[in-house]
Amino acid sequence: MRRVVRQSKFRHVFGQAVKNDQCYDDIRVSRVTWDSSFCAVNPRFVAIIIEASGGGAFLVLPLHKTGRIDKSYPTVCGHTGPVLDIDWCPHNDQVIASGSEDCTVMVWQIPENGLTLSLTEPVVILEGHSKRVGIVAWHPTARNVLLSAGCDNAIIIWNVGTGEALINLDDMHSDMIYNVSWNRNGSLICTASKDKKVRVIDPRKQEIVAEKEKAHEGARPMRAIFLADGNVFTTGFSRMSERQLALWNPKNMQEPIALHEMDTSNGVLLPFYDPDTSIIYLCGKGDSSIRYFEITDESPYVHYLNTFSSKEPQRGMGYMPKRGLDVNKCEIARFFKLHERKCEPIIMTVPRKSDLFQDDLYPDTAGPEAALEAEEWFEGKNADPILISLKHGYIPGKNRDLKVVKKNILDSKPTANKKCDLINIPKKAADTTSVQNEAKLDEILKEIKSIKDTICNQDERISKLEQQMAKIAA
């Protein structure tokens, strides 16, 4: 597995943690027992799921807001149960989705310069799961298409622009879904489940294209992700509880292309994949290291490169999209490692003597422009990501606001009024009723908002009291 003679420009990739003043300090990272990464990053913001009493919350910090984060810093706190997973929209750096124990998915619009007040009102609430929602994943190429998976063993694909659930895959998994991954153009998904099966699914045809029973024989959680060439990479455990990684061809899932055993730690291996360099980074929950491998066409297909080691174990991990990296420093990956009380960026670099742009390290990468509209994808169209060059660095453009146009019963209101007119009900009376209803609705919404604000304030009060208690106890 460690053939040193193999030629590779990534053989000498090394990781380096940033200095203390460039970390995000004094953050109470969530303690919820769920195997998601708890952190999501894009070129503007880092989002971290945090401990919150009386509901679920996550922090959204502009990347430059390093140092100690004040206890009273505003949060995104609209969920009534702990937040389990968050994911930034790949086509809008100010839009983030969150899944929670309260069985809902919420989509949020973050102000351009970050939060100044706590955010309690999402742009849209997506309700359809009957148990907690542990996975949210945006479609890689179609605008406003979001996938969610819950502990009800169902996968729902939403059109966020209308707030509708358009695809519901509720009979494909007999046990808990550990993770879901889109392929490069978003035409297929692959899933890893507690029943030890890895499935490749065509969501629009609602059929299983390929599946492998006992991809890993151990009982602990697996992960499965799509690679750019259409193969599937999995991590899991052997019967003897050794951690394994494997590579599969969905056209023939009988035997893996490659299967490697690693060590006997019990943390779930979270894979992060860079399609431009074909490098996979494995971060074990509870580990203090990041191992990375290169995937190639030559045997043994999965080549060990190196390990970044540190002293502190990781509670979670965020992974920066390629367009957020510093190309002048030959940075090929940036991780945001969650400790118990802080978030520490880790930079992966290829050592090069030249200061010029290294085009072999930075082929054109997926940009923020969506290749398809949601409706086109649901109608059956596919498109690869629209690529951009990083030669002159990435300059974020202006993001358009997420607009949700709900298709609902209210759309047919005018026709209902016409019918009323026919029965000679005075129009004024109908108008008055609708005005009264609107006023009542506004009143209810205001009350909900004030209750949510109270919860947020109580949250801050509790954390201050906890601090005082800790001081007294010390």
Side-chain angles (χ1 to χ4, degrees):
M1 198 165 162
R2 303 191 185 189
R3 281 195 305 168
V4 185
V5 290
R6 191 180 67 86
Q7 283 297 306
S8 167
K9 54 186 170 238
F10 303 114
R11 251 178 54 203
H12 302 292
V13 170
F14 68 96
Q16 207 166 16
V18 301
K19 294 191 174 75
N20 265 346
D21 60 348
Q22 291 173 285
C23 294
Y24 307 85
D25 263 319
D26 223 6
I27 293 165
R28 297 190 304 161
V29 177
S30 175
R31 293 175 176 278
V32 71
T33 50
W34 186 253
D35 284 323
S36 77
S37 56
F38 289 174
C39 182
V41 197
N42 70 20
R44 283 170 183 257
F45 301 107
V46 52
I48 301 162
I49 303 175
I50 54 166
E51 278 289 285
S53 40
F58 57 96
L59 272 177
V60 174
L61 305 169
L63 287 184
H64 58 78
K65 176 104 180 85
T66 52
R68 189 177 166 278
I69 306 301
D70 200 274
K71 286 276 185 299
S72 60
Y73 193 87
T75 61
V76 180
C77 54
H79 283 287
T80 55
V83 177
L84 300 178
D85 196 19
I86 47 177
D87 193 28
W88 285 106
C89 175
H91 309 123
N92 187 333
D93 286 342
Q94 287 165 240
V95 171
I96 187 167
S98 57
S100 160
E101 270 190 26
D102 64 12
C103 308
T104 66
V105 175
M106 293 186 182
V107 179
W108 309 84
Q109 175 104 28
I110 306 297
E112 195 167 348
N113 300 315
L115 297 174
T116 47
L117 295 166
S118 282
L119 194 56
T120 56
E121 293 295 320
V123 181
V124 62
I125 301 174
L126 306 172
E127 294 173 303
H129 287 284
S130 57
K131 289 190 179 171
R132 58 187 184 162
V133 183
I135 298 163
V136 286
W138 290 94
H139 192 285
T141 62
R143 193 189 316 280
N144 290 347
V145 175
L146 178 68
L147 175 152
S148 64
C151 290
D152 50 5
N153 307 337
I155 292 174
I156 300 178
I157 299 175
W158 309 84
N159 180 346
V160 175
T162 60
E164 293 175 291
L166 291 185
I167 294 171
N168 193 337
L169 311 172
D170 55 1
D171 55 355
M172 292 190 173
H173 297 84
S174 56
D175 213 330
M176 192 164 76
I177 301 163
Y178 286 137
N179 87 302
V180 182
S181 163
W182 292 97
N183 68 348
R184 180 90 165 141
N185 68 1
S187 59
L188 299 171
I189 56 175
C190 72
T191 66
S193 166
K194 197 174 180 179
D195 59 14
K196 298 186 187 175
K197 284 185 184 176
V198 169
R199 296 170 175 84
V200 176
I201 298 168
D202 184 326
R204 288 169 297 189
K205 289 182 183 166
Q206 304 201 14
E207 62 184 35
I208 295 171
V209 179
E211 71 178 347
K212 172 66 183 168
E213 286 192 40
K214 292 193 176 171
H216 296 277
E217 298 205 355
R220 289 191 54 71
M222 296 194 298
R223 285 283 184 279
I225 57 167
F226 262 115
L227 305 186
D229 60 4
N231 286 341
V232 172
F233 180 88
T234 61
T235 65
F237 292 80
S238 71
R239 199 178 287 160
M240 306 300 291
S241 289
E242 286 174 307
R243 293 201 286 197
Q244 295 178 321
L245 51 90
L247 191 60
W248 307 84
N249 179 352
K251 294 184 174 72
N252 178 16
M253 300 275 275
Q254 289 302 308
E255 288 297 318
I257 301 169
L259 177 68
H260 296 305
E261 292 193 345
M262 286 172 53
D263 55 17
T264 49
S265 178
N266 61 1
V268 178
L269 285 168
L270 305 177
F272 296 94
Y273 172 59
D274 177 4
D276 304 333
T277 57
S278 292
I279 295 180
I280 283 188
Y281 302 86
L282 297 183
C283 309
K285 266 207 150 179
D287 286 12
S288 50
S289 62
I290 302 172
R291 293 181 180 80
Y292 35 108
F293 299 81
E294 189 178 358
I295 313 282
T296 68
D297 296 335
E298 57 182 81
S299 177
Y301 307 108
V302 181
H303 305 270
Y304 171 80
L305 288 171
N306 211 336
T307 301
F308 165 80
S309 296
S310 57
K311 289 182 182 136
E312 295 288 318
Q314 54 230 15
R315 295 277 295 276
M317 197 65 84
Y319 179 60
M320 175 69 82
K322 210 57 175 285
R323 55 197 170 89
L325 303 180
D326 187 344
V327 294
N328 300 320
K329 293 184 179 161
C330 296
E331 179 185 359
I332 61 160
R334 191 185 310 163
F335 290 93
F336 287 70
K337 172 181 170 178
L338 299 187
H339 299 238
E340 206 160 313
R341 303 274 316 185
K342 75 170 180 179
C343 171
E344 173 187 47
I346 292 163
I347 289 166
M348 299 286 181
T349 310
V350 176
R352 292 275 165 101
K353 290 193 173 86
S354 167
D355 288 340
L356 299 173
F357 177 72
Q358 308 289 313
D359 47 14
D360 62 327
L361 298 183
Y362 301 104
D364 289 358
T365 190
E369 196 52 52
L372 292 171
E373 293 301 323
E375 290 73 20
E376 294 178 296
W377 184 79
F378 284 111
E379 283 162 13
K381 281 190 185 169
N382 292 324
D384 284 333
I386 295 173
L387 303 181
I388 56 168
S389 166
L390 296 177
K391 185 155 192 173
H392 304 293
Y394 167 68
I395 295 107
K398 186 96 177 79
N399 287 308
R400 59 185 189 184
D401 282 1
L402 173 61
K403 297 261 191 304
V404 177
V405 183
K406 290 210 169 184
K407 294 179 181 172
N408 58 17
I409 315 140
L410 298 175
D411 290 351
S412 56
K413 226 179 188 177
T415 54
N417 283 350
K418 276 175 199 165
K419 279 178 190 168
C420 293
D421 289 347
L422 293 176
I423 317 163
N424 292 330
I425 290 176
K427 194 166 188 289
K428 207 172 263 184
D431 283 354
T432 319
T433 318
S434 79
V435 168
Q436 282 173 350
N437 285 349
E438 271 179 33
K440 191 132 189 153
L441 194 65
D442 273 354
E443 216 173 286
I444 293 167
L445 285 170
K446 274 179 193 160
E447 196 172 336
I448 290 170
K449 191 177 185 320
S450 81
I451 291 168
K452 282 183 174 174
D453 288 343
T454 311
I455 290 171
C456 269
N457 293 335
Q458 299 291 10
D459 229 9
E460 285 162 18
R461 179 82 185 117
I462 287 167
S463 80
K464 278 177 187 164
L465 290 171
E466 280 176 349
Q467 270 181 292
Q468 286 173 15
M469 227 166 73
K471 278 178 190 167
I472 295 163

